[in-house]
Amino acid sequence: MANQRSEKLQARFGLTGELAFESGPDGLLEMQVTRPEATARIALQGAQVLDWTPSGEAPVIWCSPEARYARGQAVRGGIPICWPWFGPHADDPALPAHGLARTREWRVEATASTYEGTQIDLSLVLDEDAQRQWPHPATLSLRLQIGRWLTLALTTRNDDTRPLRLGEALHTYFHVGDIERVSLLGLEGLPYIDKVAGGERGLQGAALSFTGETDRIYLSEGECQLLDPMLARNIIIEKRGSGATVVWNPWLEKSHAMGDMADDGYREMLCVESANAAEAEVTLAPGETHTLWARYGVEPLSG
Ligand code: TA6
């Protein structure tokens, strides 16, 4: 069944030698991109990029080797899409954390081979179950561009006659050589909400380094750089249409408690998320469209 579906998708949207549809674990459909500049793997469930590796580089996106692949379950790693709320639902804790988009299968709308990379357009149709949980007519689409840069553009249109309050994030897990040796630049001097300290407010001093559990929402619209001396590279994290940057590492105890992450898995990842969360949520007027855009690239660390 899954094989038949992947064959149909291949016939309609496959790109010879560049984009292949495959049936992954638990019959979940995946796309494999192979280009001279990079390779990538994307799950149709959640429109989740699971891997992106520019040629000659170690993987830039981290996916837990212990990740579980099952229908309706979030995968630990890659780029989960949090939408239309970020974190726990504000009024109903029974609703899934980080919203409805990351555990549902998305539809392929179009694919193309361009000079900059492989372009993939996906959309999420809100089924009856999703509408029961979140009764707001809206259209959601994602454009991926996979090449030397990885670009994501997540677009929401409010199809309701009422304003729409939207929380969202590209919850990107970056692969690092050693969390205790990296530094994150671009958030200096900015205010943040510290979820580890129960929501206390703080002001960032110098560039961030990591010595323990970190879970912060920075009110930031700008670019970040993730300096990694062990992998001798700098990951560039650009964004637009995003008022918050979330920085998360669960550290040892929480990694240990998570069934889909090795105890020391926290050492090789850092989430830097382009988001609209907390007071940076966005409100869309009826008919209005909003795009959350992010672009990742790698440059060698000089000196
Ligand atoms: O973005 C940080 C965060 O909201 C953390 O609070 C943390 O729990 C994480 O996301 C992972 O959430 P998940 O639901 O994927 O386990």
Side-chain angles (χ1 to χ4, degrees):
M1 179 69 178
N3 279 343
Q4 274 178 11
R5 288 190 60 218
S6 66
E7 278 166 25
K8 272 195 179 163
L9 284 164
Q10 183 66 31
R12 187 148 173 226
F13 297 110
L15 301 168
T16 309
E18 179 170 345
L19 173 61
F21 287 82
E22 289 162 9
S23 163
D26 199 28
L28 294 171
L29 295 171
E30 292 183 0
M31 290 173 279
Q32 179 68 48
V33 174
T34 312
R35 286 186 56 108
E37 315 92 322
T39 57
R41 192 161 63 97
I42 304 111
L44 282 194
Q45 177 166 280
Q48 189 166 346
V49 175
L50 298 170
D51 171 47
W52 171 59
T53 306
S55 325
E57 285 290 336
V60 174
I61 303 297
W62 181 84
C63 199
S64 171
E66 277 73 28
R68 293 181 186 139
Y69 298 86
R71 212 154 280 281
Q73 266 199 33
V75 172
R76 177 74 54 210
I79 311 182
I81 293 177
C82 308
W83 184 95
W85 61 88
F86 176 79
H89 188 275
D91 309 317
D92 185 354
L95 288 174
H98 290 320
L100 307 168
R102 66 175 176 163
T103 51
R104 289 186 157 72
E105 189 172 294
W106 289 51
R107 199 161 69 186
V108 185
E109 299 288 353
T111 58
S113 179
T114 73
Y115 177 72
E116 288 84 18
T118 307
Q119 192 167 291
I120 304 172
D121 288 326
L122 300 156
S123 71
L124 180 67
V125 177
L126 297 172
D127 59 14
E128 271 178 30
D129 177 58
Q131 286 177 38
R132 247 193 318 275
Q133 297 186 13
W134 192 71
H136 299 280
T139 306
L140 181 64
S141 61
L142 177 74
R143 169 164 287 186
L144 291 171
Q145 178 101 35
I146 299 145
R148 195 70 206 165
W149 293 82
L150 173 65
T151 310
L152 301 98
L154 181 71
T155 300
T156 305
R157 191 183 66 213
N158 178 11
D159 297 326
D160 210 341
T161 50
R162 301 168 289 163
L164 168 61
R165 184 107 181 126
L166 179 67
E168 58 183 348
L170 301 168
H171 194 302
T172 307
Y173 289 73
F174 289 104
H175 169 222
V176 298
D178 179 356
I179 186 67
E180 294 200 61
R181 294 190 54 197
V182 299
S183 34
L184 184 64
L185 273 70
L187 301 169
E188 302 86 83
L190 294 176
Y192 64 82
I193 300 164
D194 191 346
K195 294 215 276 181
V196 177
E200 227 173 67
R201 304 273 161 158
L203 204 59
Q204 185 61 36
L208 265 159
S209 53
F210 301 89
T211 51
E213 186 189 352
T214 306
D215 193 352
R216 294 179 179 180
I217 303 175
Y218 285 85
L219 297 170
S220 159
E221 292 180 351
E223 167 179 331
C224 282
Q225 296 190 13
L226 180 52
L227 267 59
D228 187 338
M230 255 187 93
L231 295 179
R233 71 184 182 189
N234 177 20
I235 301 177
I236 301 157
I237 305 167
E238 299 173 347
K239 64 172 188 163
R240 291 203 290 263
S242 159
T245 296
V246 180
V247 182
W248 180 59
N249 184 291
W251 222 254
L252 178 60
E253 237 172 80
K254 289 234 165 106
S255 287
H256 180 66
M258 284 189 275
D260 52 5
M261 195 156 163
D263 289 359
D264 59 357
Y266 75 95
R267 296 203 71 90
E268 52 188 37
M269 55 72 62
L270 178 69
C271 286
V272 183
E273 310 165 31
S274 300
N276 288 306
E279 49 256 61
E281 281 185 349
V282 290
T283 301
L284 301 189
E288 200 185 345
T289 291
H290 173 82
T291 298
L292 168 62
W293 180 95
R295 188 168 88 135
Y296 309 133
V298 182
E299 63 181 20
L301 208 52
S302 44

